[in-house]
Amino acid sequence: KIHQQQYNESFKKKGPANLYLLFFCSNLISAKNILETGVADGWSSLAFLIYLRQIGGKLTSIDISYLNSFSKYKCGKIINKNLRTSWELIIKPDTSGIKILSNLSRRFDLIHYDSDKSIEGRKKNYPKLWKMLNIGGIFISDDISDNMSFFNFCHKNNLKYHVVKYENKFQGVVFK
């Protein structure tokens, strides 16, 4: 609530992900290593970092640096300095950031996909992310109603999925 009041314009304008779902799923499996693609102002990052502060662990985030109309945009601008100690921010496009983590054989308990919403982007990134997800982990994809990529991925891999509706948006959830 404090962050929402402090960054009210960002909260209203950009509309954060389903923060309750992210926090709940993290807690449900006691996730210690979390990956998210897509940071923007950092609302989902904030939810993960608040959760991780309670148990220890690390959040790794991938996003691109881009310009707004006034100045250079800063990914995760709402994240306080005291939360940044357990946060690794990779400023790269999805494909490059995911490749770096894959080459390092990094594994995650929870992965939140909220970046490249294109059919091609999801088709390329979902399988790579799925390989990096630990057994017993959770994969969450935001805005799955944009196209059929999430459903196609699940059907192709014979995965049971759940759909969560939050403020006229839909998230897909898969347990590994």
Side-chain angles (χ1 to χ4, degrees):
K1 289 281 186 188
I2 293 170
H3 285 84
Q4 183 179 342
Q5 291 169 347
Q6 187 176 358
Y7 296 99
N8 192 37
E9 182 180 332
S10 167
F11 192 84
K12 285 183 176 178
K13 199 181 221 181
K14 304 214 178 193
N18 185 343
L19 305 180
Y20 302 109
L21 176 67
L22 301 180
F23 192 89
F24 173 80
C25 287
S26 300
N27 198 49
L28 180 68
I29 61 166
S30 300
K32 290 198 176 205
N33 291 303
I34 299 172
L35 171 64
E36 69 172 337
T37 65
V39 176
D41 288 351
W43 291 103
S44 55
S45 308
L46 178 65
F48 289 132
L49 290 167
I50 289 171
Y51 159 77
L52 288 168
R53 181 174 57 186
Q54 298 172 16
I55 66 154
K58 183 177 184 179
L59 170 64
T60 303
S61 305
I62 303 169
D63 204 349
I64 57 173
S65 182
Y66 52 95
L67 301 176
N68 65 18
S69 57
F70 301 107
S71 63
K72 188 171 182 177
Y73 183 81
K74 186 175 179 184
C75 292
K77 69 180 183 180
I78 68 163
I79 307 299
N80 294 338
K81 287 181 184 178
N82 65 333
L83 291 173
R84 291 178 180 256
T85 57
S86 56
W87 189 33
E88 175 187 9
L89 177 58
I90 300 171
I91 305 291
K92 298 263 185 212
D94 286 348
T95 305
S96 301
I98 291 168
K99 184 176 182 180
I100 289 168
L101 295 173
S102 181
N103 288 342
L104 294 172
S105 300
R106 295 277 300 274
R107 307 284 297 177
F108 300 93
D109 303 314
L110 188 146
I111 297 175
H112 176 231
Y113 187 86
D114 192 14
S115 50
D116 185 351
K117 309 287 175 41
S118 71
I119 292 170
E120 197 55 43
R122 291 179 193 223
K123 190 175 182 179
K124 181 174 31 175
N125 292 323
Y126 281 174
K128 293 174 185 174
L129 293 170
W130 186 253
K131 286 179 185 175
M132 290 192 280
L133 186 65
N134 289 326
I135 300 293
I138 298 177
F139 179 78
I140 303 169
S141 184
D142 235 1
D143 304 311
I144 61 170
S145 59
D146 290 354
N147 54 55
M148 293 299 292
S149 299
F150 176 79
F151 302 102
N152 292 340
F153 173 74
C154 291
H155 289 297
K156 180 180 177 181
N157 293 286
N158 199 28
L159 304 172
K160 183 179 176 183
Y161 60 86
H162 306 275
V163 175
V164 178
K165 181 181 180 188
Y166 176 75
E167 294 185 358
N168 297 320
K169 291 184 174 184
F170 297 89
Q171 298 81 42
V173 180
V174 182
F175 291 81
K176 188 169 188 182

